[in-house]
Amino acid sequence: MNLSVTAPLGHLGYGVHTYELLKAFGARGHAVCVWPTFGQDQRNDTVTRMWLDHRQDWTPDWPALMIFHESFLTQFHSSTVRVGLPVFERDVFTPVELAALRGCNGVFVVSPWAQDVLARHDLASQVVPEGVDPEIFPIQPIPTTEAITFAHVGKFERRKGTLQLLRCFLTAFEREAVTLLLHIHNPFVQDYQPLADLLTRAGCCTVTEGRVWRRRLLTVEFSAPVATQADLARMIWARADVGVFPAAAEGWNLPLLECLASGVPAIAGRWTGQASYLTAMTGDDDVYSLPGTYGPATDADPGWDPTGRAGWWQVTDDDLIDRLRTIRARAPDRFY
């Protein structure tokens, strides 16, 4: 089968999903050509160059798949089959986004939650969940260090709860041996100063040019960007005792799935896309399950959607601090 794909070739969620999905597709003997969004191949390796070279074989009768935001789902390279695969977090769409979705021959979504959202807008879709390669993310051995390490992966933005997590971590622990490992590079953000300001106000001092901060036995470490998912598994999840994901909303949350696939338990909320694979987190007394409340974004507190046209889940500082402290208190029995 020949397939024409328009999608990002980068290192964020859409790009990672595209890369791993199309590698698996090609491994089954199918031919893929890729038209990278905005004309950018940020990976530039032998695999993506092969996909780009295949464009010279392309003809308009190839079926097309576009993996990107819903408003872009008109930019297909096909005159026959045009399937859109948006990984969205919102539960409300603009008229333009709905028109683009309705213009597709078919729509794939990555979770039953997303399918339900589209159904409420009279749009049919098929669930094609994201996955994890167990050879890249094998079950990791339990770390043997005395200090428990919490890890958070996700680009630095409010929707991911990055600043809230850091604030709660610094509040939760005073003299305990704890580490927070943050992998939060965001190519669309240039100003990381709010993180440094928060650390400084909390009495932390940097010891390696902003990468590592310490206060007594507490450590906050910022990971450098990684080139591959194998690097992420080795540099983050091989070191982590617990993942932490206090996101307001997630279309799927691939890093959380990679965390769990590595055998690392995670603090997370059972809502939006990630609820599909957190069904084992049942019961209000589950120490890993974050309670949350759902409500509309407001002008005073717009959450992750500054337009205010989507609802979002909210996690209180008190609940997150409670989860961090409870798990740290159980760490000797649970992890060592």
Side-chain angles (χ1 to χ4, degrees), residues 11-12 16 19-20 43 136-137 183 226-235 237 254-255 258:
H11 297 281
L12 296 180
V16 171
Y19 190 76
E20 299 300 334
R43 290 180 176 268
I136 298 177
F137 291 95
H183 182 73
V226 298
T228 68
Q229 295 306 96
D231 291 336
L232 183 68
R234 175 178 55 83
M235 295 172 60
W237 300 124
L254 187 58
E258 293 166 345

Side-chain angles (χ1 to χ4, degrees), residues 52-120:
L52 297 179
D53 289 344
H54 280 173
R55 290 182 298 182
Q56 63 188 350
D57 302 319
W58 170 83
T59 61
D61 61 343
W62 286 25
L65 172 70
M66 185 168 192
I67 307 174
F68 208 41
H69 304 293
E70 44 282 9
S71 59
F72 288 82
L73 299 181
T74 57
Q75 304 174 19
F76 293 97
H77 292 79
S78 175
S79 61
T80 55
V81 178
R82 302 178 301 281
V83 176
L85 198 167
V87 185
F88 53 84
E89 298 87 16
R90 294 189 295 270
D91 53 7
V92 177
F93 302 108
T94 67
V96 169
E97 291 166 343
L98 288 173
L101 287 162
R102 290 180 176 128
C104 300
N105 297 120
V107 177
F108 291 162
V109 292
V110 296
S111 70
W113 170 79
Q115 187 176 50
D116 290 342
V117 169
L118 291 186
R120 292 199 297 271

Side-chain angles (χ1 to χ4, degrees), residues 255-323:
L256 172 56
L257 188 65
E258 293 166 345
C259 168
L260 298 175
S262 302
V264 178
I267 301 171
R270 292 169 293 168
W271 48 74
T272 59
Q274 63 196 31
S276 301
Y277 51 89
L278 294 180
T279 53
M281 297 172 58
T282 57
D284 293 336
D285 59 346
D286 191 320
V287 297
Y288 295 103
S289 179
L290 278 171
T293 57
Y294 180 80
T298 66
D299 292 338
D301 193 6
W304 57 272
D305 181 6
T307 67
R309 60 185 172 83
W312 64 312
W313 286 86
Q314 303 172 64
V315 178
T316 69
D317 284 5
D318 288 344
D319 285 329
L320 182 52
I321 289 169
D322 175 72
R323 294 298 186 270

